[in-house]
Amino acid sequence: MDLDRHDFELDELMERIRTNDNRLIALQVPEGLKMQALEMMDTIETETSAKVVLAADPCYGACDLVHDKMQLMGVELVAHMGHSQMNIDSGMPTQFINVTYDGDPELSPVLPWLNQHRKMAQQRMTQQEEADGFSEEEAQERFMDAVGRMAPLNDTKLGLVGSIQHLHLLPEFHDRLEKAGFDVTIPIGGARLSFPGQVLGCNYSGDDPSIGHYLFLGSGDFHPIGLVLHTGKPLAMLDPYTGDAEEMSLERIERILRQRFGLIMSVQDAQTFGILIGEKPGQMRRTLALRMKRMLAKHGKKGYLLALEHVGPELIDFYPVDAFVNTACPRIAIDDAVRYRKPLITPFELEVALGEKKWELGYQFDEIP
Ligand code: SF4
């Protein structure tokens, strides 16, 4: 990552520290920027009278705001970098610090994918079928079919989305894509998202039936996997760091869906479940966890509620239960399932396993609203 081309916007933070005369602040930075944290701490301590403590535990999102422990330490303000505010209150005054990257990739490498995906969306619009009248086997096939499975479409617009460091590019890309002949929309999501076009690994609430395919501006496949699992819509990726374009292959999504299908089948005879509750403020889904416990009881099965700050195989594999249901960050079950000795499934997958949800409705991503 070329850090010289990132803008860290520390000025607003330092102004707030001076105005409030803060003496001790906490800095929380994403994993990719931890190497630069000491330099930032030096800058803040030189330019203001505050001392800075780095919240050095892993941090993967604004769901993970440091809170009570920092308060006990006497921290007056948390500076959270690289993620945007979400609909949670950590109980601590928090300043969100934007990080933007100045890379502005060429559009041309991604245009062939976008043309191909638009055709696919147009075809799908004319072939929409009702999710009724399937045999059990057909319904299970539909569950794993990333191409056939989709929410109803009423248009084939191009949804333009990005990860937070690149969102400033969206208005300019909107115009460039319209000039290239696409009907473009920048989706606006729910309360967990702060900006138009923003997506998180756990929230794609801007999706709507007018969007037939997507362009994602960002790097890596974390967000694209979630968005395609959630919507079943074709997605092209343009990486502002490298200028490279590719698509999120539907074969890859189908491989994930087959893995999810296997896990659902494997818990059908399970009698005892550990129900994981995330302790991080933006991952805590207590009501959902309790609903899972009640649902298991209704089916004559036992659910044990396990609250954790971090989830990892070494922290849960040893419990004498048959399987786990995860209500913390949804990506733990989806991206990391192979690391666990016992099946680790999402709440929706448990509902399918218990027959509370139908296969033919297709895969439902575990979104945190
Ligand atoms: S819950 Fe998971 S996917 Fe969502 S913001 Fe937090 S770490 Fe990212």
Side-chain angles (χ1 to χ4, degrees):
M1 195 188 294
D2 182 357
L3 284 158
D4 292 342
R5 297 182 61 186
H6 283 85
D7 184 1
F8 294 108
E9 299 181 28
L10 287 178
D11 291 347
E12 209 179 307
L13 168 69
M14 295 197 291
E15 194 50 48
R16 180 166 174 179
I17 293 171
R18 285 186 210 105
T19 307
N20 294 346
D21 196 20
N22 292 132
R23 295 298 146 136
L24 187 61
I25 74 146
L27 181 64
Q28 196 177 21
V29 302
E31 295 313 289
L33 298 177
K34 285 243 160 76
M35 292 283 280
Q36 277 59 47
L38 304 189
E39 207 178 300
M40 292 179 217
M41 291 161 81
D42 279 342
T43 307
I44 299 167
E45 289 191 348
T46 309
E47 303 279 327
T48 74
S49 51
K51 297 280 175 285
V52 186
V53 50
L54 179 70
D57 280 324
C59 171
Y60 299 105
C63 58
D64 188 10
L65 290 176
V66 281
H67 46 119
D68 42 356
K69 285 174 208 143
M70 286 295 161
Q71 217 156 15
L72 282 177
M73 219 180 273
V75 164
E76 298 155 303
L77 174 71
V78 173
H80 185 99
M81 179 169 277
H83 304 119
S84 67
Q85 182 154 22
M86 54 175 61
N87 51 351
I88 54 167
D89 178 7
S90 70
M92 288 283 286
T94 303
Q95 175 88 27
F96 288 87
I97 303 169
N98 276 342
V99 179
T100 50
Y101 179 70
D102 73 357
D104 183 1
E106 288 287 319
L107 196 55
S108 48
V110 82
L111 290 176
W113 293 119
L114 296 179
N115 282 315
Q116 197 179 316
H117 291 169
R118 179 169 53 187
K119 272 195 207 125
M120 206 166 144
Q122 284 162 346
Q123 221 169 35
R124 286 169 150 203
M125 248 211 15
T126 58
Q127 295 170 350
Q128 302 190 64
E129 44 180 310
E130 291 294 318
D132 276 334
F134 291 104
S135 68
E136 178 78 353
E137 204 176 319
E138 284 167 342
Q140 290 178 351
E141 279 299 320
R142 188 178 169 89
F143 184 88
M144 291 181 280
D145 178 8
V147 181
R149 170 186 71 87
M150 56 169 183
L153 290 182
N154 60 27
D155 206 339
T156 58
K157 283 186 187 162
L158 169 58
L160 179 58
V161 295
S163 55
I164 186 139
Q165 310 89 298
H166 312 294
L167 290 180
H168 60 285
L169 295 174
L170 296 191
E172 175 62 32
F173 267 73
H174 174 278
D175 295 351
R176 286 184 206 167
L177 286 159
E178 291 252 329
K179 269 195 203 123
F182 291 91
D183 186 4
V184 185
T185 180
I186 299 180
I188 296 180
R192 197 167 172 86
L193 304 173
S194 303
F195 304 107
Q198 186 184 8
V199 286
L200 295 175
C202 56
N203 189 292
Y204 306 98
S205 49
D207 183 55
D208 73 49
S210 74
I211 299 174
H213 62 128
Y214 278 98
L215 171 60
F216 171 76
L217 287 181
S219 63
D221 50 18
F222 181 70
H223 296 98
I225 284 177
L227 185 49
V228 181
L229 261 183
H230 184 53
T231 63
K233 297 176 183 177
L235 177 143
M237 298 132 84
L238 182 57
D239 186 336
Y241 292 108
T242 62
D244 294 343
E246 56 179 323
E247 68 166 348
M248 173 46 64
S249 90
L250 291 175
E251 290 74 29
R252 175 138 182 230
I253 300 299
E254 285 184 348
R255 271 203 303 278
I256 297 173
L257 290 170
R258 278 199 296 278
Q259 184 199 40
R260 305 319 303 170
F261 176 80
L263 286 167
I264 294 170
M265 296 306 271
S266 75
V267 302
Q268 292 204 320
D269 295 327
Q271 293 304 315
T272 53
F273 289 78
I275 304 170
L276 310 181
I277 308 179
E279 289 177 358
K280 294 176 182 175
Q283 296 186 9
M284 190 182 292
R285 292 187 286 171
R286 171 186 169 278
T287 312
L288 177 62
L290 288 170
R291 185 163 74 73
M292 292 300 110
K293 186 171 166 65
R294 281 195 302 275
M295 197 173 68
L296 284 166
K298 182 180 133 192
H299 287 267
K301 299 174 192 264
K302 180 82 196 176
Y304 296 94
L305 298 167
L306 308 174
L308 303 101
E309 176 101 20
H310 300 285
V311 180
E314 68 290 356
L315 299 172
I316 61 168
D317 267 348
F318 57 85
Y319 286 106
V321 293
D322 299 323
F324 293 96
V325 187
N326 170 50
T327 70
C329 169
R331 301 306 292 264
I332 296 168
I334 293 166
D335 300 39
D336 296 343
V338 291
R339 294 176 55 220
Y340 294 79
R341 270 199 302 118
K342 294 175 184 174
L344 175 61
I345 59 171
T346 71
F348 165 75
E349 290 164 358
L350 178 63
E351 289 181 300
V352 177
L354 296 177
E356 296 276 338
K357 288 267 161 77
K358 290 184 181 170
W359 294 106
E360 54 264 48
L361 294 177
Y363 190 78
Q364 200 177 307
F365 180 78
D366 178 24
E367 184 172 60
I368 304 186

